[in-house]
Amino acid sequence: MKFPQTHPVVLGTVTTPSGLRYLTRKTLSADAVEIRVDALLAEKVPVEKIETALRKKKHPVLLTLRIPAEGGQRAWKVAERRELFLRLLPNVEAIDVELATARAMQPVIDEARRTGKTVVLSAHAIQKPASPAQVARWVGQFDHQPSTILKIAARIKSWRDLQHLAALLVNHPDWPLAVMGLGPYAGQSRAVLTALGSRLIYGYLDQPAAPGQPSAAEARKMVNVAAVYDRSKNTEISAT
């Protein structure tokens, strides 16, 4: 099993014990499942139960052990986090590591690449919008490697904030970018950013994992609308 190569990929997030059941469902509204280990541990789910669920999965999985500074629910010790990443890595198809912790998690990233996994390098501005300067710093930190995606998630408070994120996709159309908004305008912003080429669109399977996150079913509708628009655009171009 491989992480989907086509895009946009609809990722269904799981943050609750009951959400683990989605791993073994035959069909989902998502293309892959994000397992938020930090949230599951906060819910007192044993690591062994998470590991067993991953071994039985029927869908590709993105493994995330989020840190509190970027929306996580567990205060990790570096060694503990690195060890758990490596323990669960054989049972998943992709991992998410924050740019801020990439150096500390380099052994995990190296092992993921060695074993053919997809690596998502992420950055988040949760409480307030990311400034153009901050976005530029994140872009400058991005390590262009095969099967590596740069994910930027930032709060949207105005159309200007959305414009800054949209510009990232417009200015780098060939980059493997996943860009999304957080907060009250998250749904609308994700629809726009998906249409502009964001590689990943997240929606929850059990309950929202981020401010304003739509459901996976809603995310799928956004992808379908973008696909219809893209087909009609291509038709118009070929007809002229």
Side-chain angles (χ1 to χ4, degrees):
M1 193 180 298
K2 287 282 189 180
F3 192 76
Q5 297 298 306
T6 57
H7 62 84
V9 175
V10 177
L11 272 162
T13 62
V14 166
T15 57
T16 65
S18 61
L20 288 172
R21 70 182 186 275
Y22 286 99
L23 286 172
T24 54
R25 286 195 173 180
K26 289 184 178 180
T27 59
L28 292 176
S29 51
D31 301 307
V33 180
E34 181 192 34
I35 295 297
R36 281 284 303 272
V37 176
D38 58 292
L40 292 170
L41 293 182
E43 292 284 335
K44 309 299 183 184
V45 179
V47 172
E48 292 76 16
K49 183 175 180 179
I50 299 172
E51 192 169 30
T52 297
L54 289 173
R55 287 174 177 162
K56 296 179 179 179
K57 65 183 173 59
K58 296 181 179 179
H59 307 280
V61 166
L62 170 67
L63 185 70
T64 301
L65 283 67
R66 185 68 70 226
I67 61 172
E70 302 203 22
Q73 299 182 39
R74 184 178 180 85
W76 299 96
K77 294 181 179 180
V78 172
E80 174 202 24
R81 185 169 178 243
R82 187 188 297 130
E83 180 181 338
L84 188 52
F85 254 132
L86 292 172
R87 174 177 172 176
L88 299 177
L89 184 61
N91 300 307
V92 304
E93 287 65 45
I95 60 168
D96 179 316
V97 176
E98 302 87 358
L99 284 171
T101 66
R103 180 173 295 182
M105 295 296 115
Q106 193 62 52
V108 177
I109 295 172
D110 290 344
E111 181 62 14
R113 287 176 172 156
R114 188 189 70 80
T115 53
K117 316 289 185 181
T118 295
V119 176
V120 177
L121 296 174
S122 62
H124 307 78
I126 296 172
Q127 300 303 323
K128 60 182 181 179
S131 67
Q134 179 63 75
V135 172
R137 284 195 291 273
W138 288 334
V139 169
Q141 291 176 263
F142 180 48
D143 182 16
H144 289 267
Q145 296 285 339
S147 298
T148 303
I149 298 170
L150 173 61
K151 171 196 166 187
I152 292 178
R155 182 166 286 272
I156 299 288
K157 290 187 175 181
S158 69
W159 282 108
R160 185 174 294 276
D161 299 331
L162 176 57
Q163 186 179 32
H164 290 156
L165 295 180
L168 185 59
L169 292 165
V170 172
N171 293 334
H172 303 284
D174 298 324
W175 282 28
L177 297 172
V179 185
M180 62 209 68
L182 303 174
Y185 302 106
Q188 299 95 317
S189 68
R190 290 178 195 221
V192 171
L193 296 169
T194 297
L196 288 174
S198 179
R199 298 296 182 99
L200 309 175
I201 178 169
Y202 290 68
Y204 66 87
L205 289 171
D206 47 10
Q207 66 181 22
Q213 186 183 53
S215 69
E218 291 169 330
R220 173 62 67 193
K221 290 179 182 178
M222 294 177 196
V223 170
N224 291 341
V225 168
V228 169
Y229 170 75
D230 194 51
R231 286 196 298 271
S232 66
K233 180 177 64 175
N234 290 338
T235 301
E236 290 172 8
I237 291 172
S238 63
T240 58

